[in-house]
Short mmCIF file of all heavy atoms in Angstrom, two decimals:
data_model
loop_
_atom_site.label_atom_id
_atom_site.label_comp_id
_atom_site.label_asym_id
_atom_site.label_seq_id
_atom_site.Cartn_x
_atom_site.Cartn_y
_atom_site.Cartn_z
N GLY A 126 122.15 93.08 107.23
CA GLY A 126 120.88 93.50 106.66
C GLY A 126 121.02 94.73 105.81
O GLY A 126 122.02 95.46 105.89
N LYS A 127 119.99 94.97 105.00
CA LYS A 127 119.95 96.15 104.13
C LYS A 127 118.88 97.12 104.59
O LYS A 127 118.86 98.27 104.19
CB LYS A 127 119.65 95.74 102.69
CG LYS A 127 120.75 94.95 102.03
CD LYS A 127 120.47 94.47 100.62
CE LYS A 127 119.37 95.14 99.88
NZ LYS A 127 119.12 94.62 98.54
N TYR A 128 117.96 96.65 105.44
CA TYR A 128 116.85 97.47 105.91
C TYR A 128 116.81 97.39 107.44
O TYR A 128 117.07 96.34 108.02
CB TYR A 128 115.53 96.97 105.33
CG TYR A 128 115.51 97.00 103.83
CD1 TYR A 128 115.92 95.89 103.08
CD2 TYR A 128 115.11 98.14 103.14
CE1 TYR A 128 115.92 95.93 101.70
CE2 TYR A 128 115.11 98.18 101.76
CZ TYR A 128 115.51 97.08 101.05
OH TYR A 128 115.52 97.10 99.69
N PHE A 129 116.44 98.53 108.05
CA PHE A 129 116.48 98.61 109.50
C PHE A 129 115.27 99.37 110.04
O PHE A 129 114.79 100.31 109.40
CB PHE A 129 117.76 99.31 109.96
CG PHE A 129 119.00 98.66 109.44
CD1 PHE A 129 119.62 99.13 108.29
CD2 PHE A 129 119.54 97.55 110.07
CE1 PHE A 129 120.75 98.53 107.78
CE2 PHE A 129 120.69 96.93 109.57
CZ PHE A 129 121.29 97.42 108.42
N LEU A 130 114.81 98.95 111.21
CA LEU A 130 113.77 99.68 111.91
C LEU A 130 114.31 100.11 113.27
O LEU A 130 114.96 99.31 113.96
CB LEU A 130 112.52 98.80 112.13
CG LEU A 130 111.74 98.39 110.89
CD1 LEU A 130 110.60 97.45 111.28
CD2 LEU A 130 111.20 99.61 110.16
N GLU A 131 114.04 101.37 113.62
CA GLU A 131 114.38 101.87 114.96
C GLU A 131 113.07 101.96 115.74
O GLU A 131 112.11 102.57 115.28
CB GLU A 131 115.02 103.24 114.87
CG GLU A 131 115.39 103.79 116.23
CD GLU A 131 115.99 105.17 116.14
OE1 GLU A 131 115.21 106.13 115.95
OE2 GLU A 131 117.22 105.28 116.26
N ILE A 132 113.05 101.34 116.91
CA ILE A 132 111.87 101.31 117.77
C ILE A 132 112.20 102.15 119.00
O ILE A 132 113.13 101.83 119.74
CB ILE A 132 111.51 99.87 118.17
CG1 ILE A 132 111.34 99.01 116.90
CG2 ILE A 132 110.26 99.85 119.03
CD1 ILE A 132 111.41 97.53 117.16
N ARG A 133 111.45 103.25 119.19
CA ARG A 133 111.70 104.20 120.29
C ARG A 133 110.55 104.16 121.29
O ARG A 133 109.41 104.37 120.91
CB ARG A 133 111.85 105.61 119.76
CG ARG A 133 113.02 105.80 118.83
CD ARG A 133 113.05 107.19 118.22
NE ARG A 133 113.10 108.25 119.19
CZ ARG A 133 114.22 108.76 119.71
NH1 ARG A 133 115.38 108.30 119.31
NH2 ARG A 133 114.18 109.72 120.59
N LEU A 134 110.88 103.92 122.54
CA LEU A 134 109.91 103.96 123.62
C LEU A 134 110.24 105.17 124.49
O LEU A 134 111.38 105.31 124.96
CB LEU A 134 109.98 102.69 124.46
CG LEU A 134 109.62 101.38 123.74
CD1 LEU A 134 110.84 100.75 123.12
CD2 LEU A 134 108.96 100.43 124.70
N SER A 135 109.25 106.05 124.70
CA SER A 135 109.50 107.25 125.49
C SER A 135 108.20 107.78 126.07
O SER A 135 107.22 107.90 125.33
CB SER A 135 110.16 108.31 124.62
OG SER A 135 110.39 109.49 125.36
N PRO A 136 108.19 108.08 127.37
CA PRO A 136 109.29 108.00 128.32
C PRO A 136 109.48 106.56 128.80
O PRO A 136 108.53 105.88 129.13
CB PRO A 136 108.86 108.90 129.46
CG PRO A 136 107.36 108.88 129.42
CD PRO A 136 107.00 108.68 127.97
N ALA A 137 110.74 106.15 128.83
CA ALA A 137 111.09 104.80 129.27
C ALA A 137 112.56 104.76 129.66
O ALA A 137 113.33 105.66 129.32
CB ALA A 137 110.83 103.79 128.15
N ALA A 138 112.94 103.71 130.38
CA ALA A 138 114.33 103.49 130.78
C ALA A 138 114.60 102.00 130.82
O ALA A 138 113.67 101.21 130.99
CB ALA A 138 114.59 104.11 132.15
N ALA A 139 115.85 101.63 130.65
CA ALA A 139 116.26 100.23 130.80
C ALA A 139 117.09 100.09 132.08
O ALA A 139 117.85 99.16 132.24
CB ALA A 139 117.05 99.77 129.58
N HIS A 140 116.92 101.05 132.98
CA HIS A 140 117.61 101.05 134.27
C HIS A 140 116.64 101.56 135.34
O HIS A 140 115.63 102.19 135.02
CB HIS A 140 118.87 101.93 134.22
CG HIS A 140 118.57 103.36 133.90
ND1 HIS A 140 118.38 103.81 132.60
CD2 HIS A 140 118.37 104.43 134.70
CE1 HIS A 140 118.11 105.10 132.62
NE2 HIS A 140 118.09 105.50 133.88
N ASN A 141 116.98 101.29 136.61
CA ASN A 141 116.12 101.76 137.69
C ASN A 141 116.60 103.12 138.19
O ASN A 141 117.55 103.70 137.65
CB ASN A 141 116.04 100.73 138.82
CG ASN A 141 117.39 100.44 139.46
OD1 ASN A 141 118.32 101.24 139.39
ND2 ASN A 141 117.50 99.28 140.08
N GLU A 142 115.95 103.63 139.23
CA GLU A 142 116.30 104.96 139.76
C GLU A 142 117.72 105.01 140.32
O GLU A 142 118.30 106.07 140.44
CB GLU A 142 115.29 105.38 140.82
CG GLU A 142 113.91 105.65 140.23
CD GLU A 142 112.87 106.00 141.28
OE1 GLU A 142 113.23 106.11 142.47
OE2 GLU A 142 111.70 106.16 140.90
N SER A 143 118.28 103.85 140.66
CA SER A 143 119.66 103.79 141.18
C SER A 143 120.68 103.70 140.06
O SER A 143 121.87 103.65 140.31
CB SER A 143 119.82 102.58 142.10
OG SER A 143 118.92 102.65 143.17
N GLY A 144 120.22 103.63 138.81
CA GLY A 144 121.12 103.53 137.68
C GLY A 144 121.50 102.11 137.32
O GLY A 144 122.28 101.89 136.40
N GLN A 145 120.94 101.12 138.02
CA GLN A 145 121.26 99.72 137.73
C GLN A 145 120.37 99.22 136.60
O GLN A 145 119.17 99.50 136.55
CB GLN A 145 121.03 98.86 138.98
CG GLN A 145 121.93 99.26 140.13
CD GLN A 145 121.49 98.60 141.43
OE1 GLN A 145 120.31 98.42 141.69
NE2 GLN A 145 122.47 98.26 142.26
N SER A 146 120.95 98.45 135.70
CA SER A 146 120.21 97.93 134.56
C SER A 146 119.10 97.00 135.01
O SER A 146 119.30 96.14 135.86
CB SER A 146 121.16 97.18 133.61
OG SER A 146 120.42 96.68 132.52
N VAL A 147 117.91 97.16 134.45
CA VAL A 147 116.80 96.23 134.66
C VAL A 147 116.57 95.42 133.39
O VAL A 147 115.76 94.51 133.38
CB VAL A 147 115.50 96.97 135.07
CG1 VAL A 147 115.67 97.66 136.41
CG2 VAL A 147 115.05 97.94 134.01
N TYR A 148 117.29 95.76 132.34
CA TYR A 148 117.17 95.08 131.06
C TYR A 148 117.93 93.76 131.10
O TYR A 148 119.13 93.73 131.37
CB TYR A 148 117.71 95.97 129.94
CG TYR A 148 117.63 95.34 128.57
CD1 TYR A 148 116.42 95.26 127.91
CD2 TYR A 148 118.76 94.80 127.97
CE1 TYR A 148 116.33 94.68 126.65
CE2 TYR A 148 118.68 94.22 126.71
CZ TYR A 148 117.47 94.16 126.07
OH TYR A 148 117.38 93.57 124.83
N LYS A 149 117.23 92.65 130.84
CA LYS A 149 117.83 91.32 130.91
C LYS A 149 117.96 90.67 129.54
O LYS A 149 118.41 89.54 129.43
CB LYS A 149 117.01 90.41 131.83
CG LYS A 149 116.82 90.97 133.22
CD LYS A 149 118.14 91.21 133.92
CE LYS A 149 117.92 91.77 135.31
NZ LYS A 149 119.08 92.45 135.85
N GLY A 150 117.57 91.37 128.50
CA GLY A 150 117.62 90.82 127.15
C GLY A 150 118.99 90.97 126.51
O GLY A 150 119.93 91.47 127.13
N PRO A 151 119.09 90.60 125.25
CA PRO A 151 120.37 90.69 124.55
C PRO A 151 120.70 92.14 124.19
O PRO A 151 119.82 92.94 123.93
CB PRO A 151 120.12 89.88 123.28
CG PRO A 151 118.65 90.00 123.06
CD PRO A 151 118.03 90.05 124.42
N ARG A 152 121.98 92.45 124.20
CA ARG A 152 122.44 93.78 123.77
C ARG A 152 122.59 93.81 122.25
O ARG A 152 122.36 94.82 121.63
CB ARG A 152 123.79 94.12 124.42
CG ARG A 152 123.76 94.14 125.93
CD ARG A 152 123.07 95.34 126.42
NE ARG A 152 122.92 95.28 127.88
CZ ARG A 152 122.41 96.23 128.59
NH1 ARG A 152 122.00 97.34 128.02
NH2 ARG A 152 122.28 96.10 129.89
N LEU A 153 122.99 92.68 121.68
CA LEU A 153 123.18 92.55 120.24
C LEU A 153 123.10 91.07 119.90
O LEU A 153 123.81 90.26 120.50
CB LEU A 153 124.55 93.11 119.82
CG LEU A 153 124.92 92.95 118.36
CD1 LEU A 153 124.20 94.01 117.52
CD2 LEU A 153 126.41 93.10 118.17
N VAL A 154 122.23 90.72 118.96
CA VAL A 154 122.13 89.32 118.57
C VAL A 154 121.83 89.25 117.07
O VAL A 154 121.03 90.01 116.55
CB VAL A 154 121.04 88.57 119.39
CG1 VAL A 154 119.66 89.14 119.16
CG2 VAL A 154 121.05 87.09 119.10
N ARG A 155 122.55 88.36 116.39
CA ARG A 155 122.33 88.10 114.97
C ARG A 155 121.41 86.89 114.87
O ARG A 155 121.59 85.92 115.60
CB ARG A 155 123.65 87.83 114.27
CG ARG A 155 124.53 89.05 114.26
CD ARG A 155 125.95 88.72 113.85
NE ARG A 155 126.79 89.87 114.09
CZ ARG A 155 127.49 90.47 113.16
NH1 ARG A 155 127.48 90.03 111.93
NH2 ARG A 155 128.21 91.52 113.45
N LEU A 156 120.44 86.99 113.98
CA LEU A 156 119.44 85.93 113.84
C LEU A 156 119.38 85.45 112.39
O LEU A 156 119.81 86.15 111.48
CB LEU A 156 118.06 86.48 114.25
CG LEU A 156 117.98 87.03 115.67
CD1 LEU A 156 116.68 87.79 115.87
CD2 LEU A 156 118.12 85.92 116.68
N SER A 157 118.80 84.27 112.20
CA SER A 157 118.62 83.71 110.85
C SER A 157 117.17 83.34 110.63
O SER A 157 116.86 82.29 110.08
CB SER A 157 119.51 82.47 110.68
OG SER A 157 120.86 82.84 110.72
N LEU A 158 116.28 84.20 111.06
CA LEU A 158 114.86 83.97 110.84
C LEU A 158 114.52 84.38 109.40
O LEU A 158 115.30 85.09 108.75
CB LEU A 158 114.03 84.76 111.85
CG LEU A 158 114.30 84.45 113.33
CD1 LEU A 158 113.39 85.29 114.21
CD2 LEU A 158 114.11 82.99 113.63
N PRO A 159 113.37 83.97 108.89
CA PRO A 159 113.03 84.34 107.52
C PRO A 159 113.05 85.86 107.26
O PRO A 159 113.52 86.30 106.21
CB PRO A 159 111.62 83.77 107.34
CG PRO A 159 111.58 82.59 108.26
CD PRO A 159 112.39 83.03 109.46
N ALA A 160 112.56 86.67 108.19
CA ALA A 160 112.55 88.12 108.00
C ALA A 160 113.57 88.82 108.91
O ALA A 160 114.39 89.60 108.43
CB ALA A 160 111.15 88.69 108.27
N LEU A 161 113.55 88.52 110.18
CA LEU A 161 114.37 89.20 111.18
C LEU A 161 115.80 88.65 111.20
O LEU A 161 116.00 87.46 111.40
CB LEU A 161 113.72 89.06 112.55
CG LEU A 161 114.32 89.81 113.71
CD1 LEU A 161 114.31 91.32 113.48
CD2 LEU A 161 113.56 89.46 115.00
N LYS A 162 116.78 89.53 110.97
CA LYS A 162 118.18 89.12 110.89
C LYS A 162 119.02 89.57 112.07
O LYS A 162 120.15 89.13 112.24
CB LYS A 162 118.83 89.64 109.60
CG LYS A 162 118.13 89.14 108.35
CD LYS A 162 118.07 87.63 108.31
CE LYS A 162 117.33 87.11 107.10
NZ LYS A 162 117.09 85.67 107.17
N GLY A 163 118.48 90.45 112.91
CA GLY A 163 119.23 90.87 114.08
C GLY A 163 118.45 91.87 114.91
O GLY A 163 117.54 92.54 114.42
N VAL A 164 118.83 91.94 116.20
CA VAL A 164 118.20 92.85 117.15
C VAL A 164 119.28 93.42 118.05
O VAL A 164 120.22 92.70 118.43
CB VAL A 164 117.15 92.11 118.01
CG1 VAL A 164 116.57 93.02 119.07
CG2 VAL A 164 116.05 91.52 117.16
N ALA A 165 119.16 94.70 118.41
CA ALA A 165 120.12 95.32 119.32
C ALA A 165 119.43 96.36 120.19
O ALA A 165 118.54 97.08 119.71
CB ALA A 165 121.25 95.99 118.53
N LEU A 166 119.83 96.42 121.45
CA LEU A 166 119.45 97.53 122.31
C LEU A 166 120.41 98.65 121.94
O LEU A 166 121.62 98.54 122.15
CB LEU A 166 119.60 97.16 123.78
CG LEU A 166 119.27 98.28 124.77
CD1 LEU A 166 117.79 98.62 124.74
CD2 LEU A 166 119.68 97.88 126.18
N THR A 167 119.90 99.72 121.34
CA THR A 167 120.79 100.77 120.82
C THR A 167 120.85 102.00 121.70
O THR A 167 121.71 102.85 121.48
CB THR A 167 120.38 101.17 119.39
OG1 THR A 167 119.03 101.62 119.40
CG2 THR A 167 120.53 100.00 118.44
N GLY A 168 119.95 102.12 122.67
CA GLY A 168 120.03 103.29 123.52
C GLY A 168 119.15 103.20 124.76
O GLY A 168 118.12 102.54 124.77
#
């Protein structure tokens, strides 16, 4: 891609109080949709 959006959620976490991940989605995925070309959990 040539254009990017950063989406920040705060206060938030993708892990629980024990440090275990609660995030079940993709870490990085390339897409071929008309507008959206990829998504990544970046932090």
Side-chain angles (χ1 to χ4, degrees):
K127 292 177 19 181
Y128 301 91
F129 304 96
L130 293 176
E131 180 182 77
I132 305 162
R133 297 174 58 88
L134 296 90
S135 179
H140 60 278
N141 61 22
E142 292 177 4
S143 301
Q145 298 168 324
S146 180
V147 296
Y148 180 76
K149 305 301 180 200
R152 300 286 174 176
L153 176 78
V154 62
R155 294 167 190 238
L156 303 168
S157 294
L158 301 181
L161 186 61
K162 301 304 178 189
V164 176
L166 178 67
T167 58

